[in-house]
Amino acid sequence: MAARYIKYMRCMPLFKPLLDCNIHKNMRTCTSCNSREKNAQNVNTYKSLLTTHTGIIDSSVRFLCQETTLSSLGNTTMEEQNSKTKVPAAFNASSKYSKINNFSHPTGVKLEVKQDSEYLDPLEEDDSFEEKGDVPEKQKRLIQQPFNEILRMCKSPCDILDLTMKYSLTYKQNSNCLATIWYVFKKMSEEQKWLERRMMFEHPAFPELCYQVMQAARQMTCEDLVYSLHALVKLRVSQRTRLLQTLVRVCQERLNEFDERTISVLANCMEDLDGSKNVDALRAGLQLLVELQIPKIKSVLSLQKMMRCIGKDAPISLKKKLEYKAMSIMDQFSRPNCEHMFTTLAKIHFLSLPILSNCSNRIIQNVIGIPFWQLIHILQSCRDLQYRNEVLFSTIADYVTSTMYMWQTKQVLLFLSVFENLGFRPVVLLDTFAEQAMQNPESLNLKDIIITLRVYSLLNHLPKGQHQWFLDPLNRVLETNLPKIPAVELLRAIYSCCLLGYFPQVPFNVLLQDSILNELMASDNQNIELNERMLHHIVLCLELENPSFIKPINIALRKPSPAYTTTHPGVQQALNSLLGETSLFQQNVQLPSNYNIEFQMYMDKDRRKVFPIDEVEAPANQFDGQRVAVLCCPVSSFCLGTMHPRGKLAMKIRHLKVLGYHVVLVHEQAFEKLKEEDQVEFLRRKVFSEDTASDHNLQNHHEIEV
């Protein structure tokens, strides 16, 4: 492999920029050796086929050559090459078949024959090997090998392209070559992919291979057609070319011939296709085909394939028909079927509560043994679908906690990160991981520290009675990595510390250096607004909670835009009923700190009496009582199934308490479900001090003290 790279780098202009050409431009040809120079004119006849294009790498593709055999090899023999004939450098350097010049006769459609004798020289029948006797017996056996066996041994796209120059291929073999190129390519590292893609596009056999595929598109089997299209799209061949558009159009014309397998491959490919008239027409036809085949579906696997085919833009009526079909065969669902149904519904963006509920129950009963990535995909699909099942999440969290010894640190952090995205707070899992982190903080690297701080701060969770013991070791690891941490990552880590009410001196000093602040506020920074908001909250935390921090901040921060205000008629009506008149409370009070308070009242220190707003705010009066802030918070401000405030709300509550407020939290969704008299009683117990017990009328929610 290394030798082949060295020869390529010596023989061809590898680091020249690739030409992005469209239909009316010629592709640059490779000039690595005399053979390729002689083929330049031949390659130029296949112009307008290829350009590079940004795409998405996907891993689902079949290794065609393992299943496809040559339909006929014919009575072909070999004759010895002229010693002066040169073979392309990449093939000569890397393949032990570089001296083979055999070809197979196509049994299907007669494709355009290559004219250059050096490029492909069809040989007549000859018995020269037996006469000369100078070819080893091993070489004879290699020459007699079928094309597909040799294709499987190729280790790079250029090996495969070199091989195509030795054979006259059928359309099935052309399709196999493209699919094998993608199969080999997707296993490479990113750096190797970049190099191999460049070498592939500059290889003289690649445009010719694509030309042969385009010419034979209408004679291909449906399977070869879709796998050729799939490979070209995944290899990032430009979708503006005649090649890609021809294959898309042929798929559209022959759509009625497709079976479940080819439909599935086509649907996978279409996820990466940009919108165009041909693509839109194909997508619409695919949806119609799926709708016609719904009554014929009898297996769960076939159903899931069909559901994935329709895409997220399919009409809701079609999605409903597939939902009814799934419910009709729900008794056939195995546990793996239930697992894959989450990702299937997420792929088509369809929240089907009946399907998800049944699948969740099956997973809850059989969670033991589900692989790591499958659990992650289930949780991520719930996040994408905005499906919140507290029992399912708790079951998975308990399973991860009980099998903590099985998981790596990165795996546990990924679970915690997905739970945080779902707004779910797995208390036992968080405490167990925190205990491990306290025992062995050196096992966490910088990335682990940043993720840990983010998860625990946004979920507003710290081990009970062990705040400092948990945060101090994390801070020591953070300080060790300060010289190499990027400015943005440092900002996020410090912001997470502020959400937790933790203020380590050394990281704060580094963050507030002029060079770091200027980098964060640079005009070319795409996240400048987000950085400003985080810096604003950091400065506010230092002013209110850590006034001993005296380091000046030599940068002017723009004042954030005022908080978005909304009306809360249910809470307003309940306060009217409780207090008797509207002059006893204010609505949407904006504080200098940019915090917004939905309702504010002035009370005596014992919180037994409410004072009129006009009397308290009169210039001659000096209020010496208790201010009460009623905060109306959406469900996203609390952890799932609880009244436990998440990170930003918890920080706001701390700051309001520092400013002298008594804070009353109202869970909007839970409050609206109460009867009117229960709403008034709830506010009475929260505002006045006579009864400070928890509200038992808020079912399924419990108050956790901040």
Side-chain angles (χ1 to χ4, degrees):
M1 180 67 74
R4 180 169 58 81
Y5 282 153
I6 294 172
K7 285 206 170 189
Y8 258 102
M9 296 180 68
R10 289 177 178 173
C11 298
M12 59 191 298
L14 194 57
F15 296 101
K16 287 186 179 180
L18 282 176
L19 281 176
D20 286 335
C21 59
N22 52 29
I23 294 178
H24 302 290
K25 293 182 181 179
N26 293 337
M27 176 185 173
R28 176 187 305 168
T29 60
C30 174
T31 57
S32 62
C33 61
N34 292 339
S35 175
R36 295 182 184 179
E37 290 174 358
K38 293 180 181 181
N39 290 325
Q41 184 178 359
N42 189 34
V43 172
N44 285 334
T45 62
Y46 309 120
K47 60 184 180 179
S48 308
L49 290 177
L50 308 171
T51 56
T52 55
H53 185 72
T54 302
I56 302 173
I57 300 300
D58 188 86
S59 60
S60 56
V61 66
R62 185 190 61 154
F63 193 5
L64 284 172
C65 63
Q66 291 179 347
E67 300 182 6
T68 310
T69 59
L70 291 175
S71 56
S72 175
L73 293 176
N75 297 322
T76 306
T77 56
M78 305 298 300
E79 82 174 355
E80 188 177 13
Q81 288 270 9
N82 189 313
S83 59
K84 296 182 180 180
T85 302
K86 294 189 177 181
V87 179
F91 188 80
N92 190 32
S94 62
S95 175
K96 56 185 177 182
Y97 309 110
S98 58
K99 296 182 181 180
I100 301 175
N101 197 14
N102 141 5
F103 70 97
S104 64
H105 295 288
T107 59
V109 175
K110 178 72 174 178
L111 302 181
E112 181 176 330
V113 180
K114 305 162 190 168
Q115 300 298 326
D116 194 334
S117 60
E118 294 284 346
Y119 200 48
L120 175 64
D121 186 13
L123 302 178
E124 299 179 355
E125 294 185 6
D126 194 293
D127 297 328
S128 56
F129 282 121
E130 285 75 6
E131 294 175 0
K132 293 183 179 179
D134 56 350
V135 179
E137 193 66 30
K138 182 179 179 181
Q139 181 75 2
K140 292 180 182 179
R141 289 197 301 269
L142 292 177
I143 291 174
Q144 295 171 359
Q145 281 185 309
F147 173 81
N148 283 1
E149 292 185 12
I150 304 176
L151 183 62
R152 289 192 198 100
M153 300 178 185
C154 295
K155 302 300 182 183
S156 74
C158 288
D159 284 349
I160 299 170
L161 293 173
D162 287 332
L163 186 62
T164 64
M165 299 173 67
K166 304 292 181 180
Y167 287 82
S168 178
L169 305 179
T170 65
Y171 60 76
K172 181 175 287 290
Q173 291 167 341
N174 283 323
S175 176
N176 285 2
C177 288
L178 284 177
T180 308
I181 287 175
W182 165 240
Y183 179 84
V184 172
F185 180 83
K186 70 178 183 178
K187 293 184 175 182
M188 298 177 177
S189 64
E190 289 302 319
E191 183 178 354
Q192 193 176 6
K193 284 179 181 178
W194 177 87
L195 181 62
E196 288 289 347
R197 182 185 291 112
R198 190 160 192 173
M199 295 167 66
M200 179 183 68
F201 283 133
E202 293 187 357
H203 198 290
F206 187 62
E208 184 180 1
L209 175 63
C210 294
Y211 181 78
Q212 299 286 5
V213 168
M214 185 181 70
Q215 289 291 94
R218 284 177 170 80
Q219 287 76 37
M220 285 183 174
T221 64
C222 295
E223 189 176 78
D224 292 332
L225 179 63
V226 294
Y227 276 106
S228 297
L229 177 62
H230 181 277
L232 290 168
V233 170
K234 298 302 182 181
L235 289 170
R236 302 180 185 177
V237 174
S238 174
Q239 297 177 23
R240 299 172 297 172
T241 56
R242 186 160 50 97
L243 168 66
L244 265 293
Q245 293 301 318
T246 298
L247 294 179
V248 170
R249 184 58 183 268
V250 174
C251 287
Q252 177 190 341
E253 294 172 356
R254 302 178 58 188
L255 198 54
N256 288 332
E257 304 174 25
F258 285 15
D259 56 14
E260 290 181 7
R261 183 178 188 179
T262 51
I263 289 176
S264 179
V265 176
L266 179 60
N268 181 281
C269 171
M270 290 189 67
E271 294 178 3
D272 298 334
L273 286 175
D274 301 330
S276 68
K277 291 183 178 180
N278 287 332
V279 173
D280 294 342
L282 179 58
R283 184 173 284 114
L286 189 60
Q287 293 175 1
L288 290 174
L289 181 62
V290 170
E291 188 169 5
L292 292 174
Q293 292 193 1
I294 289 177
K296 303 177 183 177
I297 299 175
K298 296 183 179 179
S299 69
V300 179
L301 186 59
S302 298
L303 173 66
Q304 291 177 336
K305 286 182 179 180
M306 291 297 179
M307 294 179 72
R308 288 174 176 268
C309 289
I310 64 174
K312 61 182 179 181
D313 299 325
I316 190 66
S317 59
L318 177 56
K319 296 179 181 179
K320 283 289 186 181
K321 290 180 180 179
L322 289 167
E323 179 187 31
Y324 297 149
K325 185 66 178 182
M327 294 303 299
S328 68
I329 59 173
M330 186 60 67
D331 57 333
Q332 300 181 26
F333 275 56
S334 63
R335 191 191 71 180
N337 293 146
C338 293
E339 297 167 8
H340 289 291
M341 186 54 74
F342 280 86
T343 56
T344 299
L345 292 174
K347 185 174 283 290
I348 65 174
H349 289 193
F350 180 55
L351 175 60
S352 173
L353 294 178
I355 294 177
L356 290 173
S357 178
N358 280 277
C359 292
S360 296
N361 293 336
R362 186 72 61 84
I363 292 173
I364 290 170
Q365 297 169 6
N366 302 277
V367 68
I368 298 176
I370 298 180
F372 165 75
W373 279 113
Q374 199 59 46
L375 289 172
I376 292 296
H377 291 155
I378 290 172
L379 296 174
Q380 289 175 336
S381 299
C382 291
R383 176 199 62 195
D384 296 339
L385 294 169
Q386 297 185 356
Y387 175 66
R388 302 293 184 263
N389 188 326
E390 188 178 355
V391 178
L392 174 64
F393 300 162
S394 298
T395 302
I396 295 177
D398 293 342
Y399 172 63
V400 175
T401 304
S402 62
T403 57
M404 183 79 77
Y405 61 90
M406 294 172 45
W407 312 106
Q408 300 176 6
T409 299
K410 297 183 185 299
Q411 291 176 314
V412 178
L413 283 174
L414 186 53
F415 275 118
L416 292 176
S417 184
V418 177
F419 281 134
E420 184 276 316
N421 289 333
L422 290 164
F424 177 69
R425 177 171 167 254
V427 177
V428 179
L429 178 58
L430 288 166
D431 287 342
T432 304
F433 180 78
E435 184 177 352
Q436 288 190 356
M438 287 185 286
Q439 293 175 355
N440 189 18
E442 292 76 15
S443 63
L444 302 177
N445 57 31
L446 178 60
K447 185 177 180 180
D448 297 337
I449 294 294
I450 294 174
I451 294 176
T452 301
L453 290 173
R454 178 178 60 82
V455 169
Y456 280 77
S457 63
L458 293 178
L459 291 176
N460 184 30
H461 181 87
L462 287 172
K464 190 173 181 180
Q466 296 179 310
H467 297 185
Q468 293 297 123
W469 292 352
F470 173 60
L471 293 173
D472 286 345
L474 299 183
N475 177 50
R476 286 195 293 270
V477 178
L478 183 64
E479 290 180 0
T480 304
N481 292 274
L482 281 177
K484 60 181 180 181
I485 184 172
V488 175
E489 296 298 329
L490 177 61
L491 173 63
R492 292 171 180 170
I494 297 301
Y495 177 69
S496 298
C497 290
C498 289
L499 290 179
L500 292 169
Y502 180 64
F503 307 100
Q505 186 79 20
V506 175
F508 269 85
N509 288 333
V510 175
L511 174 67
L512 298 179
Q513 291 177 359
D514 293 344
S515 59
I516 300 294
L517 293 175
N518 290 331
E519 181 180 348
L520 293 171
M521 304 303 294
S523 58
D524 58 345
N525 195 322
Q526 297 179 352
N527 299 319
I528 186 169
E529 294 184 3
L530 178 61
N531 293 345
E532 281 187 336
R533 287 198 296 271
M534 287 192 287
L535 284 171
H536 170 78
H537 284 103
I538 290 172
V539 172
L540 187 60
C541 286
L542 293 177
E543 291 176 354
L544 296 177
E545 299 184 79
N546 192 23
S548 60
F549 190 88
I550 58 175
K551 180 178 177 62
I553 301 176
N554 300 323
I555 189 170
L557 296 175
R558 290 180 297 180
K559 188 176 181 180
S561 57
Y564 180 70
T565 59
T566 57
T567 58
H568 304 276
V571 180
Q572 181 180 354
Q573 184 177 354
L575 285 174
N576 279 332
S577 301
L578 176 63
L579 302 179
E581 51 184 294
T582 58
S583 62
L584 295 178
F585 62 89
Q586 291 176 301
Q587 295 186 58
N588 291 323
V589 179
Q590 192 76 25
L591 300 182
S593 58
N594 206 50
Y595 285 133
N596 180 72
I597 298 176
E598 281 73 22
F599 299 96
Q600 176 178 272
M601 292 169 285
Y602 292 94
M603 304 181 70
D604 63 310
K605 291 184 177 180
D606 297 329
R607 296 205 335 271
R608 296 179 180 276
K609 179 181 178 181
V610 181
F611 298 107
I613 301 299
D614 296 338
E615 294 181 8
V616 174
E617 293 185 347
N621 292 342
Q622 211 171 20
F623 179 71
D624 189 25
Q626 174 75 66
R627 288 181 293 180
V628 177
V630 179
L631 304 181
C632 302
C633 306
V635 62
S636 59
S637 296
F638 300 94
C639 293
L640 180 65
T642 71
M643 284 285 288
H644 184 79
R646 300 191 67 188
K648 292 182 180 179
L649 178 58
M651 179 175 64
K652 180 178 180 178
I653 293 171
R654 289 201 319 268
H655 291 173
L656 290 178
K657 288 183 176 180
V658 172
L659 295 172
Y661 282 91
H662 169 72
V663 180
V664 175
L665 290 180
V666 176
H667 190 298
E668 291 179 356
Q669 188 180 38
F671 189 83
E672 291 173 357
K673 294 179 180 179
L674 297 176
K675 298 179 180 179
E676 185 175 348
E677 56 270 20
D678 293 332
Q679 291 177 345
V680 176
E681 185 61 26
F682 169 76
L683 290 176
R684 184 190 307 278
R685 288 200 296 266
K686 297 301 179 182
V687 172
F688 293 96
S689 61
E690 285 85 0
D691 186 1
T692 58
S694 298
D695 177 27
H696 299 290
N697 291 321
L698 286 174
Q699 296 181 0
N700 299 325
H701 294 81
H702 61 276
E703 180 88 356
I704 300 180
E705 186 166 349
V706 181

